[in-house]
Amino acid sequence: MKDLTVNDTHICKVPTKWKEISPDHIKALCKYINYAISPESLKVMMLLYISRLKLVRSKEIPAPGGLFDKTLFPIKGKKTGLFYASSADIAFMAESLDFLFVEKEKKKYMQSGLVENHFPRLRTRWRTQLYGPGSGLYNLTFAEFIRLETLYELITSKGSSEAENRFCGTLYRKRDKTVDPNSPTFEGDLREPFNDHLMDTYARQGLRLSRWKKNYIRLFYEGCRNFITDKFPQAFYANEAVETGTTTFENFNKLITGLSNSDLTKAKEIRKAPLYDALSQLEAFAIEGKKLREARDKKTVY
């Protein structure tokens, strides 16, 4: 955390990492995403929310000589009272929130680092309570992860709202009434078992979630996805082990087929396996396959 000080007055602590953002701030971030016109404007909106500083309805005043900004903006806080700041001053205060973004090809994109699930329960507009997975997606099955990756691919490549509804309804589902969290056999998942044949049902549940909740589900998944990518790089980028031009679903299935030696029974077990167990096996398999391909392609030196 970083101390925010204005005119030698301490205002608040500002997060400098994803893991330092409070649930309240995450909720605000998910609400502001759709209203910010640029990364800079989103950072300023978040800065004002975290600090409780407010832009007030007062006339801007000309900046004193020597400053690049033509005007100073009126800002008010409980501790500071009314003061004036240039756009450069505001941008400087918002620099602590640079961690929200990553720069690619001279453009800034939001890169989620959320791994902890701060909202394990979400209500739909119909007051139906849905339950999410554990932090880091630790209690997902591999089959569920493959389906989510397929839907996520459609969301990012085509902006499909139908895929988004299915995605949100798949990750957040109704509670399994047969599960007892106090039972010694409880495995940490309160959700109904994943069923790949209930996509239409999941889509209806996802449709009834408000926009900020859908944004949160995606940010949380993306953060966990980034974590998993770092932990299992070879298994996650399945297209490195197979031909290019195929979908995520096809790539993972080909890895599973190779790992199971085309044994359908074993392939089914891999799909039902906990996500991290399956990825650990696929990681080893992908690494071994890469070594074999490199050895095969290596020219013999005489």
Side-chain angles (χ1 to χ4, degrees), residues 54-249:
K54 295 181 179 180
L55 289 170
V56 296
R57 292 185 178 181
S58 178
K59 291 183 178 180
E60 298 87 358
I61 62 174
L67 293 179
F68 292 104
D69 292 296
K70 294 182 180 180
T71 57
L72 297 177
F73 299 95
I75 302 176
K76 189 175 184 180
K78 288 184 177 181
K79 295 182 180 180
T80 61
L82 181 67
F83 67 96
Y84 289 84
S86 67
S87 59
D89 294 331
I90 298 173
F92 177 76
M93 289 189 288
E95 281 184 0
S96 299
L97 300 172
D98 283 345
F99 69 90
L100 295 173
F101 301 92
V102 63
E103 188 168 336
K104 296 178 182 178
E105 299 178 354
K106 297 182 179 180
K107 290 185 178 181
K108 288 185 178 181
Y109 300 90
M110 182 170 286
Q111 179 167 290
S112 175
L114 284 179
V115 177
E116 181 182 356
N117 189 354
H118 292 283
F119 298 100
R121 302 178 187 179
L122 294 173
R123 286 188 181 274
T124 68
R125 293 189 182 95
W126 289 15
R127 308 302 295 170
T128 301
Q129 188 159 247
L130 302 180
Y131 292 75
S135 297
L137 307 179
Y138 77 91
N139 52 3
L140 261 64
T141 63
F142 191 48
E144 182 181 353
F145 179 70
I146 293 175
R147 174 55 61 190
L148 288 165
E149 276 296 291
T150 304
L151 294 169
Y152 181 77
E153 187 176 50
L154 291 173
I155 296 170
T156 54
S157 63
K158 299 181 180 180
S160 171
S161 58
E162 176 64 21
E164 182 185 44
N165 292 332
R166 291 183 176 221
F167 174 84
C168 293
T170 297
L171 199 59
Y172 272 72
R173 304 192 293 272
K174 292 181 180 180
R175 176 170 177 166
D176 185 350
K177 296 179 181 179
T178 65
V179 172
D180 180 7
N182 297 317
S183 171
T185 59
F186 178 59
E187 296 181 352
D189 199 345
L190 292 171
R191 303 172 302 161
E192 291 178 342
F194 169 70
N195 188 332
D196 216 353
H197 301 288
L198 296 179
M199 284 295 112
D200 289 340
T201 300
Y202 296 156
R204 286 193 295 271
Q205 292 175 175
L207 177 64
R208 295 164 186 163
L209 288 167
S210 63
R211 171 43 53 191
W212 83 261
K213 292 175 182 177
K214 290 181 181 181
N215 287 343
Y216 170 73
I217 291 173
R218 180 169 171 177
L219 276 181
F220 169 61
Y221 183 82
E222 287 177 346
C224 294
R225 189 176 186 268
N226 291 331
F227 173 77
I228 292 170
T229 302
D230 292 338
K231 193 172 183 65
F232 306 103
Q234 299 298 329
F236 188 82
Y237 292 114
N239 59 330
E240 292 184 3
V242 295
E243 63 267 22
T244 58
T246 53
T247 64
T248 300
F249 182 79

